[in-house]
Amino acid sequence: MTYGGEEISMDQSASALHGTPVVPGVGYGPVTRPVARPVVPADVTSVPDTAREAELARFENAVAVVADRLRARASRASGAAAEVLQATAVLAEDRAWRGAAATRIRSGTDAVGATVAAIEQFAGLFEKMGGLQAERVTDLLDIRDRVVAELQGVPEPGLEMPEVPSVLLATDLAPADTAGLDPSMVVALATSLGGPTSHTAIIARQLGIPCVVAVAGLDDVPAGTPVLVDGATGRVVIEPDRAEADAEVARDRVERERLASWAGPGATADGSPVEILANVQDGPGARAASRTPAQGVGLFRTELCFLDRDIEPTVDEQADIYAEVFDTFGGRKVVLRTLDAGSDKPLRFANHPEEANPALGVRGIRIAASAPGVLDRQLDAVALAAERTGTRPWVMAPMVATVAEAADFAARVRERGLSPGVMIEVPSAALLADRLLEHLDFLSIGTNDLAQYTMAADRMSPQLAALTDPWQPAVLELVARAARAGAEVGKPVGVCGEAAADPLLACVLAGMRVTSLSCAASAITFVGARLASVSIDQCRSAAEAVLQTADPATARAAALRCLGGSAE
Ligand code: PEP
Ligand code: MG
């Protein structure tokens, strides 16, 4: 994890591949790969009338065995890993796809052929729906392979636990595989597909396994080859010098132990304060975050509380949920985001129109134009929760693109005695940050969407992961512009997108005069500790240097030169 001399010599003596860094840390070991998927016969066997009921029973039995195994693994796992395994088990037993397979079996298709066809039908449907549903296609294909293997009587596909600590390389990993990983045996992982927000990435982050995704050329590296994965820079070095690799791993371990002991509050080494806040999605998430040194909540994603609702929750019901989060953080800062419905997070009660291009459609604050009641009732609920808990939350709107939207939102929020802000996720909002601030108390930069809209690249697309990298200089230019607008009038401008979870980039953002960094609870100590290791002047020089660069790799290298040490 150290850069400079060693890194360059390592890259010169061994070949290095590059991908999108997801979880910082260094892992070194022989390559292990998942067990191959079962071979699916091209021809469908037809089953005689008399044997169809037995074939159907065989199919149902295979599904039950697969679901039971997934549930057994869920019970041995914890946190997000357990949830993913449980969700995959539920999907395996989903009536819709099983029904489609059963219909085929009843009309004479064999169980394997019926499984393949039914999953194909549903994968196509999910893909068309896009967003989060499209991400579940990997889960569906994984279920298909497990059921087919069970029907064929061959070993279940996926990972076999390696005998020595290894680096896991794969084209893509099924969430069920990632969830079962043992970090002491899988010391790093890299995939040739997958985006920074994929399931693989989320679980790797939870398990603390260094991870790089979207690495071109990875599929040609044979099992057993020694490789080093650097999750901070996105490097995958094939056959590195053994001594150098061991030294990098050792330095990384010491560095990680040091970072984990950080206790807050957020500030640079010379005492320049930058609030370190948590991103949460409900009461339990807030309680988990409150056990970290987070100084408050920088992003409460309220829409995630209601993804499964057909009917809009009442004001009282919403107030109870919001109050849980406000209470957990007592008098500390909580920034609540109003419903960011639409695109990859459709809310059934928000009445989205059918759209050809939902990421550019009616999402976030735009829903207020067609259904202002939903926004007003949510703000009533926030005000009620604030009153009940004796707190004064900050409230921000997502996907704001115009000053008029911000002014209208601010008026509604102020009417209720709350503090208004908006997210900077659309380039137009970044460009007009100074004019937005005439109406608002604060801004919060959502780098995930800002990157998507600045680079015209779907944030869910693994092929475009390099474009949605928050280190893209064009994205950082807009971030700097918004931060400058806040500094000029003395109003807070935070960052709450994934960029704030990258410890190196967090220092650069502080150098751009961002006043708070809000990230997943698991990233808090890493970000806080990294910031505490550098001076504000170093951060400023890094920001200046990064803004001169023309691509993400050069931007990272420029930041490292100014900020020194490790990229974590
Ligand atoms: C963002 O876009 O950066 C953000 C924080 O919002 P979300 O990831 O929920 O779209
Ligand atoms: Mg967003």
Side-chain angles (χ1 to χ4, degrees):
M1 177 68 64
T2 308
Y3 301 84
E6 288 97 334
E7 183 195 352
I8 290 159
S9 69
M10 184 176 281
D11 277 0
Q12 280 169 351
S13 64
S15 64
L17 306 173
H18 292 271
T20 305
V22 172
V23 182
V26 173
Y28 168 65
V31 169
T32 182
R33 286 186 177 275
V35 172
R37 303 267 141 194
V39 179
V40 179
D43 298 328
V44 173
T45 318
S46 127
V47 178
D49 242 351
T50 49
R52 289 180 192 170
E53 276 312 305
E55 188 68 352
L56 185 56
R58 206 166 75 81
F59 166 74
E60 287 295 357
N61 182 56
V63 170
V65 168
V66 166
D68 279 351
R69 277 199 206 117
L70 289 165
R71 261 193 296 273
R73 285 174 60 200
S75 67
R76 293 193 296 272
S78 63
E83 278 166 31
V84 166
L85 287 163
Q86 192 63 38
T88 312
V90 170
L91 188 63
E93 288 184 320
D94 179 77
R95 281 221 223 120
W97 90 263
R98 270 172 46 220
T103 307
R104 286 179 167 84
I105 296 172
R106 285 200 187 92
S107 53
T109 309
D110 69 307
V112 169
T115 301
V116 172
I119 292 281
E120 197 170 296
Q121 174 191 341
F122 278 80
L125 256 177
F126 278 27
E127 244 156 34
K128 263 205 208 115
M129 289 161 83
L132 287 182
Q133 290 298 352
E135 286 220 328
R136 298 220 72 192
V137 169
T138 316
D139 304 34
L140 272 178
L141 299 180
D142 180 51
I143 290 165
R144 176 198 64 192
D145 292 344
R146 286 173 198 275
V147 172
V148 167
E150 184 59 30
L151 287 166
Q152 293 176 334
V154 298
E156 196 168 2
L159 280 181
E160 263 171 23
M161 200 40 77
E163 280 161 17
V164 293
S166 302
V167 171
L168 174 60
L169 301 189
T171 306
D172 199 3
L173 283 170
D177 287 335
T178 334
L181 293 180
D182 171 357
S184 64
M185 294 311 278
V186 175
V187 293
L189 66 94
T191 60
S192 49
L193 296 180
T197 51
S198 64
H199 270 130
T200 303
I202 289 165
I203 294 173
R205 197 170 285 127
Q206 186 203 325
L207 296 172
I209 300 178
C211 173
V212 181
V213 298
V215 188
L218 202 65
D219 292 342
D220 303 330
V221 184
T225 312
V227 300
L228 176 136
V229 172
D230 184 340
T233 59
R235 277 181 318 144
V236 177
V237 188
I238 318 297
E239 300 193 70
D241 176 87
R242 170 82 196 254
E244 280 183 24
D246 285 344
E248 273 209 43
V249 170
R251 278 193 295 268
D252 173 58
R253 190 168 305 130
V254 171
E255 187 68 356
R256 281 209 253 178
E257 277 161 17
R258 188 182 67 76
L259 298 182
S261 64
W262 180 80
T268 57
D270 50 349
S272 225
V274 181
E275 278 177 316
I276 306 289
L277 306 169
N279 291 353
V280 307
Q281 63 182 70
D282 53 18
R287 282 193 287 281
S290 74
R291 291 190 284 273
T292 73
Q295 291 163 266
V297 170
L299 170 64
F300 174 11
R301 289 180 162 106
T302 57
E303 68 282 355
L304 299 184
C305 304
F306 308 121
L307 288 178
D308 57 346
R309 302 293 184 100
D310 290 318
I311 300 170
E312 184 185 337
T314 64
V315 168
D316 244 342
E317 202 183 341
Q318 290 189 53
D320 283 347
I321 295 170
Y322 305 152
E324 228 183 303
V325 174
F326 300 164
D327 248 347
T328 303
F329 276 84
R332 285 178 283 168
K333 174 170 167 178
V334 175
V335 185
L336 176 145
R337 177 174 75 186
T338 55
L339 299 172
D340 185 19
S343 189
D344 58 328
K345 291 175 286 193
L347 283 184
R348 288 194 285 276
F349 62 82
N351 288 332
H352 301 297
E354 275 290 318
E355 295 176 308
N357 203 347
L360 298 181
V362 181
R363 68 168 285 201
I365 192 68
R366 296 170 185 186
I367 290 176
S370 49
V374 175
L375 175 62
D376 281 331
R377 285 185 290 277
Q378 184 177 27
L379 293 177
D380 287 344
V382 178
L384 187 60
E387 192 188 310
R388 282 186 195 160
T389 54
T391 54
R392 188 165 187 269
W394 297 21
V395 188
M396 64 183 179
M399 273 296 284
V400 167
T402 69
V403 176
E405 285 168 344
D408 176 70
F409 179 77
R412 289 170 200 262
V413 173
R414 286 196 205 284
E415 259 168 38
R416 292 165 171 89
L418 305 168
S419 187
V422 302
M423 291 192 72
I424 301 291
E425 297 177 292
V426 181
S428 66
L431 294 168
L432 299 183
D434 54 345
R435 278 150 273 183
L436 292 174
L437 279 170
E438 288 170 18
H439 302 270
L440 302 164
D441 293 346
F442 71 97
L443 299 175
S444 181
I445 305 172
T447 46
N448 308 337
D449 277 312
L450 188 59
Q452 158 164 270
Y453 296 124
T454 304
M455 305 304 294
D458 185 343
R459 61 191 266 190
M460 295 297 179
S461 164
Q463 289 92 333
L464 304 179
L467 285 177
T468 47
D469 187 335
W471 283 89
Q472 282 289 351
V475 177
L476 293 176
E477 192 74 56
L478 290 172
V479 170
R481 185 180 174 113
R484 206 161 41 233
E488 271 162 18
V489 293
K491 291 189 179 180
V493 176
V495 173
C496 64
E498 285 300 302
D502 173 340
L504 183 69
L505 186 47
C507 298
V508 174
L509 297 171
M512 290 176 177
R513 295 187 160 73
V514 151
T515 54
S516 65
L517 297 159
S518 190
C519 56
S522 59
I524 294 233
T525 49
F526 294 101
V527 172
R530 188 66 169 94
L531 190 68
S533 73
V534 292
S535 70
I536 190 65
D537 281 348
Q538 277 178 293
C539 295
R540 296 247 160 90
S541 317
E544 255 173 51
V546 159
L547 290 173
Q548 303 301 316
T549 64
D551 61 81
T554 318
R556 280 190 177 91
L560 276 169
R561 268 195 301 279
C562 300
L563 295 161
S566 104
E568 244 184 326

